[in-house]
Amino acid sequence: MAGLEGMRVLELGHMVAAAYAGKLLADLGADVIKAEEPAGDAARSRGPFPGGKPDPEKSGLFLYLNTNKRGVILDLPDQNGKLERLVGWADVLIHNYPPRRMHELGLDYSRLREINPPLVMCSITPFGLTGPYRDYAAYELTIAHGGGWAWLSPNSSDRPDLPPLKAAGHQADFQAGLVAALTSVAAYFRALRSGEGEHIDVSSQEAVASLLEQNFVHFTYAGQVASRLGRRLLYPWGFFPCRDGTIFIVVAEADQWQRLMELMGNPEWAEWEIFADGYKRSENSDVLRIYIEEWTRTWTVDELFRAAQAKRICMVPVSSMASLANERQLKERGFFVEVTHPRVGRLLQPGAPYRISGGAWNITRPAPLKGQHDDEVAQMLASNNRERERAPSSRAPGGRPLEGVRVADFSWAWAGPFCGMLLAHLGAEVIKIESHTRLDLGRRLPIYPTDMEPGPNRCGYFNQWNQGKKSLLLNLRRPEAIAIAKQLISKCDVVLDNFATGVMERLGLAYEDLKKIKPDIIAASISGFGHTGPYKGYMGYGPAIVAMSGLSSLTGYVGGSPQEVGISYGDPNGGIHAAVAICAALAMRARSGRGQYIDVSLLEAMAALTPEGWMEYAMNGVEPPRIGNRDAIMAPHDCFPCAGNDEWVTIACGNDDEWRRLCAATGMPELANDQRFSDVAGRKTNEDELTALLSSWTRTRTKWEVTHLLQQAGVAAFPSMNSRDLAEDVHLNERGFFARLPHPEVGVRTHAGVQWRLTNGPNGVHSPAPLLGQHTDWVMSELLGYEKDEIERLKRERVLY
């Protein structure tokens, strides 16, 4: 049995989050039935459309999100028992209806589990199923700002007059969909072993608030509120002009600076005191930029990309959709996939966000026409007498979904540790392999409590992204340590790394080596560009991946240049995609007994989340314009200034009814009858005037006054939240989102916690990040059976070091 064949998924809802979760499972072989209301999924009206002509069967966003699914019409609330029959058929139900709508439509888990006791149901909602904001109206804009991400974007801005900027497309919804796919397949894996169902509460706001890199802990450890304004701590970093385009440069370490100077011919100015170290280069970035720009302008993008990467300097092209289509790495790895649709014909679509051995990922059919499989599914349901395959379980009910799974985590920095942390939150025992000879970058970043001396156990960055893990000291430069690593792997289910291509092979820990140790092992490797193709050895830091994926070219203010997106988004996005693939591989192994090799390219995982931009180019040969916080269809849909210093609130209206309620709530009912704004088309045509009118109103009020007033009227409004706002937020605190566990060195600090809530399992973070080597003795003695004297010898000889 290949992939997730045998897994049955019912998907309900509109737009991106539930659909992307369903797509991830469908493309791995699950049988996904997409049940649409009679009017159809709202994504059918979003586009882009061939020739710009709206057609519900030709929306590029819908076509991308719904490959491999069967489509039926389901009129909710259901009066004919069709929902109940579909629930009885399904293993997993994923939806993204808000809480009130859930109740109206009969999506009550306590009722549905009576129909199907082992059912896994995942509810994706803007703010979760509990808490003061549970019934707040929200769109993508609301969550991107409300989760604290947009506040950080664009990076290093010198324009305080411009609002915080959301990333292009539906990135917040994609991340909520990823959390839903991850938790759903993990709970399904548990159900295969135990027959135990689950109701998962996924908050989109929390999915976003869990991605803030070092910025949130900068506040909770050092009291600093990170901002999109000001200069970077590291330089050179950012966009630089070339003869024929733009290149993105990240110089993160001292040795990379030295190699850059060598590539530049060791100019005399490189020895000046003002450029002596990273902090001085940052302080004098305006001067340094002049010299670097003068040099980059003498190169073509491709020439400089190749020359820099040959010297292990992270430079990448800033891709447009057109250049992405011709990108050598993506072509050789077959990233874009031709899909033939009955109404659109042949169309290249973004492909797999990861590679899984054995052909588990595949697109075998296009997105369904509306109601295309009504008859087929009706016949199937009429004859459905399936015996559910449930193995007897030795595990106690009510545990975390991955309890009993052990992970050897060789990763460092952010992408790999983020993946490992998610697995730990799901209950896996994650053993992080560390060494004094090469401290995790996360232990070295200068984010320490203000009242303490720096130390490797005191960095907020490390303590955020390694919660729930154990730490084993193992000096992999010593052959004896490699032997110990192999012993550990023999007792693990998963091996995770994000080393540069070739490192695991040189250590004797390539997948072929691991299979000899444990034939059913699951190995996941995360890298910038993947482990095959012409760029397999190239450097690809997370922020550079955003630029190369095309997301930067889509993101920016109206009429402005491409922008970064506030965080090193390529890293956590690659990490959570890897976690989804690992959980899917565990479910596959539960049925087939076979392990898997998972190759995650940060570039491919990022390019998979630009479907609106890509489909506009693939269908019409044009590049979408940058529109800031605005929307292609809705208006108003923007971030507005409020009373106070750098205070902002988002407001979005999705239809005429919401617009009329906004007019009444703001005390401007006459605007509802103003011909300029009387319908969606008029509001878009006159959006600048509309923005000016609303800005005049919001400037005299605080962001929370605007939020509460408009939300009482049923209008999506919410502040652009900074780290302080998040840490003090009544809703996030009431939901228990934050982890505040005692740590042996830093005491109780506030960290972003778990993005989901379980009904039949423990919630929250179960342990703080480990001290360096904290669990070495336990792993060596209890897990591997070493005697105390032998452990002490290995420490003296710096094997356990």
Side-chain angles (χ1 to χ4, degrees):
M1 180 178 289
L4 290 175
E5 291 174 13
M7 181 183 189
R8 299 181 173 187
V9 181
L10 173 62
E11 177 202 312
L12 304 170
H14 293 273
M15 289 295 291
V16 174
Y20 190 60
K23 173 183 171 61
L24 288 167
L25 304 180
D27 290 350
L28 286 172
D31 185 358
V32 178
I33 294 179
K34 181 181 185 70
E36 301 180 65
E37 294 176 75
D41 183 343
R44 291 185 180 275
S45 65
R46 287 291 306 186
F49 300 103
K53 299 176 181 177
D55 183 326
E57 301 296 359
K58 297 181 179 181
S59 164
L61 181 62
F62 184 88
L63 295 177
Y64 171 71
L65 289 170
N66 294 289
T67 51
N68 287 327
K69 301 176 186 178
R70 294 192 282 175
V72 301
I73 297 299
L74 179 62
D75 196 357
L76 294 172
D78 177 44
Q79 303 297 322
N80 300 310
K82 187 174 181 178
L83 173 62
E84 285 76 6
R85 291 192 294 276
L86 285 166
V87 167
W89 165 87
D91 298 302
V92 175
L93 188 163
I94 301 173
H95 77 90
N96 64 337
Y97 286 112
R100 282 181 181 165
R101 190 67 177 147
M102 282 176 62
H103 178 71
E104 293 168 359
L105 299 180
L107 298 178
D108 179 36
Y109 181 68
S110 60
R111 180 178 77 90
L112 300 181
R113 71 182 299 184
E114 291 179 4
I115 300 167
N116 184 353
L119 178 70
V120 172
M121 175 168 157
C122 183
S123 299
I124 311 167
T125 61
F127 295 99
L129 295 175
T130 61
Y133 308 156
R134 68 183 295 269
D135 291 320
Y136 272 17
Y139 291 100
E140 161 77 19
L141 175 75
T142 319
I143 301 304
H145 284 266
W149 178 2
W151 175 262
L152 304 167
S153 175
N155 305 66
S156 306
S157 173
D158 60 358
R159 294 288 305 275
D161 57 311
L162 294 177
L165 177 69
K166 88 172 194 72
H170 287 82
Q171 303 307 317
D173 285 339
F174 275 119
Q175 292 305 313
L178 276 158
V179 174
L182 171 68
T183 52
S184 294
V185 77
Y188 169 71
F189 170 66
R190 181 178 71 178
L192 285 174
R193 297 180 293 164
S194 70
E196 184 177 14
E198 183 61 85
H199 186 198
I200 307 161
D201 169 8
V202 172
S203 157
S204 298
Q205 182 194 30
E206 292 168 7
V208 169
S210 68
L211 301 175
L212 303 185
E213 205 166 357
Q214 78 279 2
N215 297 287
F216 181 72
V217 288
H218 235 143
F219 174 70
T220 61
Y221 273 61
Q224 297 182 22
V225 178
S227 169
R228 69 198 182 283
L229 304 173
R231 64 167 60 97
R232 287 191 172 281
L233 293 177
L234 296 172
Y235 202 81
W237 182 314
F239 302 94
F240 291 85
C242 292
R243 290 206 315 260
D244 60 346
T246 306
I247 200 157
F248 191 86
I249 302 176
V250 178
V251 175
E253 303 264 14
D255 62 316
Q256 295 165 16
W257 167 255
Q258 293 302 322
R259 293 197 295 274
L260 175 60
M261 291 304 97
E262 291 171 11
L263 182 61
M264 295 181 70
N266 292 312
E268 181 182 347
W269 54 259
E271 300 301 321
W272 294 353
E273 180 62 25
I274 61 172
F275 303 141
D277 59 39
Y279 296 111
K280 290 182 178 178
R281 292 192 288 275
S282 174
E283 289 175 359
N284 297 285
S285 59
D286 52 345
V287 178
L288 181 54
R289 183 172 191 91
I290 294 171
Y291 288 109
I292 294 179
E293 279 194 8
E294 183 180 20
W295 175 74
T296 59
R297 288 181 190 276
T298 67
W299 295 78
T300 68
V301 170
D302 191 60
E303 288 170 347
L304 184 51
F305 173 46
R306 289 167 174 268
Q309 290 285 354
K311 293 186 76 69
R312 299 290 295 160
I313 304 165
C314 186
M315 295 192 195
V316 301
V318 179
S319 300
S320 63
M321 296 296 103
S323 61
L324 203 65
N326 295 305
E327 184 53 65
R328 288 184 295 269
Q329 180 72 2
L330 296 179
K331 278 190 168 183
E332 180 148 330
R333 281 171 61 90
F335 173 69
F336 292 109
V337 180
E338 188 175 271
V339 180
T340 301
H341 186 271
R343 299 288 179 86
V344 181
R346 290 183 296 178
L347 190 66
L348 276 182
Q349 297 186 193
Y354 31 61
R355 297 285 186 274
I356 300 183
S357 59
W361 189 97
N362 196 16
I363 292 181
T364 58
R365 67 169 128 205
L369 303 174
K370 193 161 66 170
Q372 179 179 345
H373 301 97
D374 278 341
D375 292 343
E376 175 186 318
V377 170
Q379 293 175 15
M380 178 200 73
L381 293 176
S383 61
N384 180 40
N385 55 4
R386 168 197 183 198
E387 288 291 326
R388 295 183 176 273
E389 302 172 38
R390 305 293 178 203
S393 175
S394 58
R395 61 193 296 281
R400 296 177 193 252
L402 297 188
E403 282 184 8
V405 172
R406 182 175 292 128
V407 180
D409 181 1
F410 289 87
S411 69
W412 73 315
W414 193 13
F418 187 69
C419 173
M421 182 190 70
L422 293 170
L423 300 177
H425 288 344
L426 285 166
E429 181 182 72
V430 179
I431 300 173
K432 182 175 177 65
I433 289 84
E434 302 193 76
S435 175
H436 287 283
T437 63
R438 184 180 180 268
L439 280 181
D440 189 318
L441 178 64
R443 291 195 183 273
R444 295 184 273 131
L445 294 176
I447 304 170
Y448 303 108
T450 51
D451 55 349
M452 293 183 186
E453 291 293 318
N457 297 314
R458 298 177 178 180
C459 176
Y461 185 98
F462 182 90
N463 292 343
Q464 171 63 62
W465 305 119
N466 292 279
Q467 297 176 91
K469 302 179 187 178
K470 294 180 168 67
S471 174
L472 165 66
L473 281 176
L474 204 54
N475 180 5
L476 297 176
R477 296 176 180 176
R478 302 290 301 276
E480 211 168 347
I482 299 297
I484 294 170
K486 290 180 177 179
Q487 286 179 276
L488 174 62
I489 288 165
S490 72
K491 298 181 179 295
C492 288
D493 302 280
V494 178
V495 175
L496 171 66
D497 84 273
N498 65 331
F499 292 141
T501 303
V503 172
M504 290 294 274
E505 286 79 1
R506 290 195 293 273
L507 293 172
L509 300 176
Y511 180 56
E512 294 305 316
D513 301 310
L514 302 180
K515 284 197 298 183
K516 295 173 184 175
I517 300 168
K518 196 170 192 294
D520 66 349
I521 197 74
I522 294 165
S525 292
I526 306 171
S527 61
F529 300 100
H531 283 254
T532 62
Y535 303 166
K536 67 180 182 181
Y538 283 10
M539 295 183 72
Y541 289 138
I545 293 299
V546 173
M548 192 169 178
S549 72
L551 184 57
S552 284
S553 74
L554 301 171
T555 300
Y557 297 107
V558 176
S561 58
Q563 297 289 346
E564 294 185 72
V565 296
I567 58 172
S568 302
Y569 183 30
D571 286 310
N573 181 61
I576 191 170
H577 272 101
V580 170
I582 288 168
C583 288
L586 287 166
M588 295 175 203
R589 192 181 70 170
R591 288 180 172 276
S592 70
R594 295 194 297 270
Q596 300 280 354
Y597 175 64
I598 301 164
D599 174 11
V600 180
S601 155
L602 298 186
L603 176 61
E604 292 167 356
M606 193 74 265
L609 302 192
T610 60
E612 288 156 302
W614 172 260
M615 297 298 258
E616 180 73 78
Y617 175 77
M619 287 175 164
N620 299 314
V622 298
E623 301 280 342
R626 289 179 282 276
I627 58 174
N629 289 297
R630 294 183 175 182
D631 183 75
I633 297 173
M634 291 188 279
H637 186 285
D638 217 329
C639 188
F640 298 88
C642 289
N645 180 37
D646 202 23
E647 299 279 272
W648 302 84
V649 70
T650 60
I651 301 173
C653 289
N655 54 52
D656 290 340
D657 180 56
E658 290 175 4
W659 165 244
R660 286 189 290 270
R661 282 186 265 136
L662 170 66
C663 294
T666 57
M668 296 184 283
E670 69 280 0
L671 290 183
N673 299 317
D674 190 314
Q675 296 236 335
R676 295 171 298 170
F677 311 129
S678 59
D679 58 21
V680 171
R683 292 194 292 276
K684 282 303 297 180
T685 300
N686 299 287
E687 191 163 14
D688 289 343
E689 296 170 69
L690 179 57
T691 297
L693 284 167
L694 287 176
S695 294
S696 296
W697 180 79
T698 58
R699 278 195 179 97
T700 64
R701 293 162 175 81
T702 70
K703 60 191 180 187
W704 285 110
E705 284 181 283
V706 174
T707 296
H708 296 319
L709 179 66
L710 295 187
Q711 286 287 355
Q712 286 173 5
V715 175
F718 206 80
S720 189
M721 302 277 274
N722 62 36
S723 296
R724 183 191 300 275
D725 294 329
L726 292 171
E728 298 174 354
D729 185 67
V730 61
H731 177 82
L732 291 172
N733 279 284
E734 185 169 312
R735 276 181 56 81
F737 171 63
F738 298 113
R740 297 182 174 101
L741 299 174
H743 182 277
E745 291 200 15
V746 301
V748 177
R749 303 280 165 173
T750 300
H751 302 91
V754 181
Q755 309 98 303
W756 60 84
R757 304 289 180 278
L758 304 176
T759 299
N760 294 325
N763 286 304
V765 178
H766 58 78
S767 64
L771 304 178
L772 181 61
Q774 179 179 345
H775 303 93
T776 300
D777 286 1
W778 179 87
V779 172
M780 295 299 293
S781 61
E782 299 299 318
L783 196 57
L784 302 183
Y786 280 72
E787 297 294 334
K788 183 177 181 180
D789 290 348
E790 184 68 0
I791 296 170
E792 292 305 313
R793 177 188 71 79
L794 292 167
K795 289 179 180 179
R796 287 194 305 272
E797 296 178 3
R798 295 198 166 187
V799 174
L800 303 177
Y801 176 73

